[in-house]
Amino acid sequence: MSLLHDAVRVESLTVLSRFRTDFYDCLTARADALFELTDAVLCTDGPVRSLVDLALAPEHRRGHGALYAGLNRGRVDVARLRRVLSEMPLPRAADGRLVLAVDVSPWLRPDAGTVPDRSFCHTYGRGSAKHQMMPGWPYSVVVALESGRTSWTALLDAVRLAPGADLAAVTADQVREVAERLITAGQWTDGDPEILVVLDAGYDAPRIAYLLSGLPVEILGRTRSDRVMRRPAPSRQEFLLDHPKGGRPPKHGGEFVFGDPTTWGAEQAVTVTNTRLYGRATAQAWDRLHPRLTQRAAWLEHDGPLPVIEGTVIRLTVEHLPSGGGTSRSGCGGRELVPPKPTSTGAGRRSYDASTSSTPSACSSRPSAGPGPACATRPPPTAGPGSSSPPTPNSASPDPSPPTSAGRGRNRHCRINSPPPGSGAGSGTSARRRALRPVHRNQPHPAPDARRARRTDDPQPATTWDVSSPAARHTSDQPTTRSAPNPDEPVQS
């Protein structure tokens, strides 16, 4: 036992020593300062909040001046570092398959106003545990996963996303480069299981599978529960049996609506597994389903007919969660208890063949969802401080409630009275609607002939003044001059 343990320990130290040597060779300028800075980052207890703390770490044997010089003038050969990471021993699944995961991790920079190429990054758990958009740098990260309950991953690549970049195109290029480096390094050979790429619900999995055609990879992506898939198109014989008069054969088959169990039909595979934390887990699979693509958004500049990207939809349901909450929070089942909705997808067919296939994702339905928030029509501005606006009447309460105005200088917000929640008065969105202002229409102008006739029939004097002050009296027969008022003279009201 001790000899085996010592052999494993020696082998691990040999791999680590070789990697440290290769990493040092990737530093082309200020190598010593950057190498010690890397050791300080890895060996410091807790999060790194400032560079001064790194300069005080025992692993950093240089002064703080060398630390800043290494960051400002140091250089790293990124291409060589990526090759070194691909040649390292990578974790594998139980069947020996390489499993890669792709996700976006932001580096938040809300206080760096002069930093270029910042984007709004989606964050959760900051402040009041709400979804927020914070300025920062989003990075697309590719890692290798291992089986078991562990959070350790092997980092393979990281790319910073530019503002307005096509996430699917950037991810496809990044995964292609990583897969090619792994094949070159001997991590995958002919006859091995295909590389599994795991994506989150924010990726367009069908398009990524189409862009990765020609590689030994499979795409596994999550999808929303409101998607609609299509079945394979019927054959020529089946179409003629259903339509004896003939016609144009369809390109897509019947619909597979995630929210309608009556359209699912019989599944091709069902597995049931008893788990310790989730209870009984049931997986159902429907093969050869594809999304119906349209000539817009990402496929707007596609040449030729749109492809049919088939895949397998996998629905996973569990009895309960470890926390004891409902299954709708974990994505395993819909909000309604009967019937549950499919919310997860499984690995698609092989994209190594000419006919690529994958599973749908949430992004593939975004092009048909209309313009984004930036393209939406802005609502009219509300009344400012010290003003009031009439409330919006609704069908439940036809009598509008009196408006409430904020006093000037006391409150900068103006709140409109709305029915309390649960009272049944008003609609669900009436409290968020902005109050409508009354429209004042001008009096219609008379016709030109009527105005001309009124001018000729009722002549008016050129000027007429009717002022109670003697100094300001003026008639049309006197010149149009006026004496300045005397400051000492009392003003008559």
Side-chain angles (χ1 to χ4, degrees), residues 404-452:
T404 302
S405 60
R408 181 175 301 177
R410 295 181 180 179
N411 191 359
R412 299 180 59 88
H413 302 280
C414 180
R415 184 176 181 181
I416 306 300
N417 293 337
S418 59
S423 60
S427 58
T429 58
S430 61
R432 293 187 178 182
R433 295 180 181 175
R434 299 181 183 271
L436 300 178
R437 294 184 177 181
V439 179
H440 301 280
R441 299 184 180 276
N442 297 331
Q443 297 295 333
H445 295 280
D449 298 338
R451 286 184 294 178
R452 189 181 300 106

Side-chain angles (χ1 to χ4, degrees), residues 34 73 99 131 344 353 465 471 490:
L34 291 178
R73 302 178 183 179
V99 181
H131 296 271
S344 61
D353 300 336
W465 292 86

Side-chain angles (χ1 to χ4, degrees), residues 22-47:
D22 295 338
F23 174 72
Y24 184 83
D25 295 338
C26 296
L27 306 177
T28 57
R30 303 280 179 169
D32 295 336
L34 291 178
F35 191 82
E36 292 186 2
L37 180 60
T38 304
D39 283 344
V41 171
L42 296 176
C43 298
T44 300
D45 296 335

Side-chain angles (χ1 to χ4, degrees), residues 133-441:
M133 303 298 293
M134 303 289 294
W137 285 335
Y139 283 84
S140 178
V141 182
V142 180
V143 298
L145 304 179
E146 60 178 302
S147 59
R149 301 175 56 186
T150 177
S151 59
W152 288 97
T153 59
L155 181 64
L156 295 177
D157 191 67
V159 176
R160 192 172 75 182
L161 301 176
D166 189 353
L167 181 60
V170 174
T171 304
D173 295 340
Q174 186 181 14
V175 173
R176 178 178 291 274
E177 293 178 359
V178 171
E180 291 177 351
R181 288 197 298 266
L182 293 177
I183 296 175
T184 304
Q187 300 286 356
W188 184 91
T189 57
D190 294 336
D192 294 344
E194 296 179 347
I195 303 175
L196 182 63
V197 181
V198 182
L199 306 175
D200 204 355
Y203 291 88
D204 191 351
R207 183 166 174 242
I208 292 178
Y210 177 78
L211 297 175
L212 293 178
S213 59
L215 291 177
V217 297
E218 292 183 357
I219 304 299
L220 174 63
R222 296 176 57 192
T223 185
R224 302 187 317 191
S225 59
D226 58 349
R227 294 296 309 277
V228 178
M229 295 293 163
R230 291 301 186 99
R231 301 183 184 274
S235 60
R236 185 66 177 177
Q237 293 76 10
E238 296 175 352
F239 177 75
L240 292 178
L241 291 176
D242 297 338
H243 303 81
K245 296 183 179 180
R248 182 179 179 181
K251 187 177 181 180
H252 309 279
E255 292 184 348
F256 184 92
V257 184
F258 284 11
D260 188 5
T262 59
T263 62
W264 297 351
E267 59 273 4
Q268 279 73 28
V270 180
T271 58
V272 179
T273 306
N274 293 323
T275 62
R276 181 176 59 88
L277 298 178
Y278 299 92
R280 187 175 183 179
T282 304
Q284 301 171 277
W286 291 268
D287 198 10
R288 299 194 62 188
L289 298 178
H290 65 275
R292 182 179 179 180
L293 305 179
T294 56
Q295 197 80 25
R296 56 181 177 180
W299 303 95
L300 183 61
E301 300 180 357
H302 179 76
D303 297 334
L306 295 176
V308 176
I309 309 174
E310 293 184 342
T312 302
V313 175
I314 299 178
R315 176 175 177 264
L316 177 63
T317 56
V318 297
E319 289 183 348
H320 56 81
L321 298 180
S323 59
T327 56
S328 59
R329 298 177 55 188
S330 65
C332 303
R335 297 181 181 272
E336 300 178 0
L337 296 180
V338 180
K341 300 179 181 179
T343 57
S344 61
T345 62
R349 290 182 174 272
R350 300 192 314 172
S351 59
Y352 186 80
D353 300 336
S355 59
T356 60
S357 59
S358 70
T359 55
S361 69
C363 280
S364 57
S365 62
R366 291 181 181 178
S368 60
C375 303
T377 305
R378 297 183 59 183
T382 56
S387 62
S388 61
S389 302
T392 304
N394 49 59
S395 59
S397 57
D399 297 333
S401 57
T404 302
S405 60
R408 181 175 301 177
R410 295 181 180 179
N411 191 359
R412 299 180 59 88
H413 302 280
C414 180
R415 184 176 181 181
I416 306 300
N417 293 337
S418 59
S423 60
S427 58
T429 58
S430 61
R432 293 187 178 182
R433 295 180 181 175
R434 299 181 183 271
L436 300 178
R437 294 184 177 181
V439 179
H440 301 280
R441 299 184 180 276

Side-chain angles (χ1 to χ4, degrees), residues 3-23:
L3 294 178
L4 180 60
H5 178 73
D6 293 341
V8 173
R9 185 172 180 270
V10 170
E11 182 181 359
S12 301
L13 292 178
T14 303
V15 173
L16 178 60
S17 177
R18 186 186 309 113
F19 172 73
R20 289 173 62 87
T21 303
D22 295 338
F23 174 72

